[in-house]
Amino acid sequence: MKRIGMLTSGGDCQALNAAMRGVVKTLANSKEEVEIYGFLDGYRGLIYGNFRMLTDKDFSGILTKGGTILGTSRTPFKTIQDPDPNGLNKVEAMKQNYYKLQLDCLVILGGNGTHKTANLLRKEGLNIVTLPKTIDNDLNGTDHCPGFASAAKYIATSCAEVWQDAHVYDTGMVTIIEIMGRHAGWLAGSAALASLTGCGPDLVYLPETDFDMERFLADVKAVYDQSGNCLVAVSEGIHYADGTFVSEAKTSATDGFGHAQLGGLAAHLASVVKEKT
C-alpha cells in the first residue's frame, strides 16, 4: 500500500484540478494500491494537519472545473521558517504530519515560492514530487506551466475584443491594456496572439526590456498618425533603466510579500499620452 499526500499552494489558476486528476489516474493505472491524502488550503493544511482522504469520487468531473478541490493559500517562503503566532515551528510541524501519515511521498502543485518551500522539505528528508503551476510561465527549468495557456488565451481574446471596440467609431483613440507580470512578460507577450485574427495590439511592452517614456510616446504617435488608432499591451512590471517600476511612484502600498503594489499603470500612461500628445 502506497500513501501519497497532495496539496496545491499559491495563487489560483486553471488546470490545478486537471493536474491532480492526471496524477491520480496515473497512479490508478499502475495497478498498485494507493491511498491519497489531500492537505487543505496549501501548506497550512500540512502545517496544522488539516487533511482528508480522497477517493475516486473526489476526482470525478473535475477535469474542466476551475479552482482547486483542495483549496490553497499563499505562504511566503521567507516566513516559512519563522514560528507561527503560537510559537509553532512550521517546518517541524510539516515533517511531523508527513511522518504521522506514513506518506511515501508528497505531491505539491505550485509556483516559485511553493517550489522553494518544497525544496526545503526535500532537504529535510521528505520525498517530494512537484508540479509547476503558474500563469506567469516563469518557473526555472520548465518550458511551459499548467495555468499559463488558459491565461494566455484569455488575454489574447480580451485584446481582440478591445480591438474591435476601439475600431467601432470614426474618432481615433489610444487604448492601453495593463496585463499582469512583475518580472516575466509571457502574459503581456501573449496579447500578440490576437494578431492571428488581425486584432492584435500595435505595441507590446515587457518587463524584460527597460522602458523609455519618450520612446513610448514616439511609438504611440507614429502608429496613431498612420492608422488613427493605437492599441497598446503593457506589462504591469515595466521599469525604467534604473529599475524603478513605472507604476511604483504612484503608490506606497505593498502586497502580501512586501513587494511594491503595482497597478494603475494603464491609467498613468494614458494620462501621459493625453498630456504630451
Side-chain angles (χ1 to χ4, degrees):
M1 170 73 71
K2 294 290 186 183
R3 293 180 168 221
I4 310 297
M6 186 176 293
L7 65 85
T8 53
S9 175
D12 185 29
C13 74
Q14 289 293 337
L16 286 173
N17 289 323
M20 287 190 288
R21 181 179 180 274
V23 171
V24 173
K25 187 174 182 179
T26 301
L27 289 170
N29 291 338
S30 70
K31 307 299 181 184
E32 190 168 3
E33 207 170 338
V34 178
E35 289 181 348
I36 307 292
Y37 293 86
F39 292 95
L40 308 181
D41 299 324
Y43 282 117
R44 289 180 188 171
L46 183 60
I47 293 169
Y48 298 107
N50 189 12
F51 64 88
R52 63 186 178 91
M53 184 181 290
L54 302 174
T55 66
D56 292 342
K57 186 176 180 180
D58 290 299
F59 296 98
S60 177
I62 68 169
L63 187 61
T64 58
K65 185 177 181 180
T68 161
I69 60 172
L70 295 180
T72 186
S73 62
R74 306 197 75 174
T75 311
F77 175 72
K78 64 182 180 181
T79 66
I80 201 68
Q81 297 183 75
D82 298 333
D84 78 351
N86 295 317
L88 178 70
N89 185 313
K90 289 177 280 191
V91 175
E92 287 301 316
M94 289 190 285
K95 291 167 59 179
Q96 289 175 14
N97 285 316
Y98 177 95
Y99 291 121
K100 180 180 179 180
L101 289 174
Q102 299 180 324
L103 297 178
D104 290 286
C105 80
L106 177 63
V107 178
I108 299 173
L109 288 78
N112 286 290
T114 297
H115 275 68
K116 289 180 181 178
T117 298
N119 189 49
L120 172 64
L121 295 176
R122 178 191 65 82
K123 291 180 179 178
E124 291 289 325
L126 276 58
N127 191 15
I128 304 295
V129 177
T130 62
L131 297 177
K133 176 277 305 179
T134 171
I135 63 172
D136 296 307
N137 202 41
D138 63 345
L139 269 170
N140 184 41
T142 61
D143 59 357
H144 65 281
C145 297
F148 167 68
S150 299
K153 178 183 177 182
Y154 178 84
I155 289 168
T157 301
S158 299
C159 285
E161 292 173 344
V162 170
W163 187 96
Q164 296 287 356
D165 187 64
H167 287 74
V168 166
Y169 306 102
D170 56 2
T171 55
M173 65 173 69
V174 175
T175 306
I176 302 174
I177 303 176
E178 179 180 342
I179 299 171
M180 289 179 66
R182 177 180 293 271
H183 299 300
W186 286 99
L187 286 177
S190 65
L193 293 171
S195 299
L196 296 173
T197 64
C199 302
D202 299 292
L203 301 169
V204 179
Y205 294 90
L206 310 179
E208 286 83 355
T209 302
D210 294 338
F211 182 80
D212 183 286
M213 185 66 78
E214 294 304 317
R215 174 67 182 273
F216 164 74
L217 291 171
D219 290 344
V220 169
K221 186 176 186 303
V223 173
Y224 183 85
D225 288 346
Q226 181 178 9
S227 65
N229 280 283
C230 183
L231 179 62
V232 181
V234 58
S235 171
E236 65 175 353
I238 59 169
H239 55 80
Y240 297 113
D242 64 0
T244 303
F245 290 111
V246 177
S247 64
E248 187 174 357
K250 297 298 175 181
T251 176
S252 60
T254 58
D255 61 17
F257 294 88
H259 301 143
Q261 183 73 57
L262 304 182
L265 174 65
H268 171 56
L269 291 178
S271 66
V272 173
V273 169
K274 184 175 182 179
E275 176 187 351
K276 298 295 185 181
T277 67

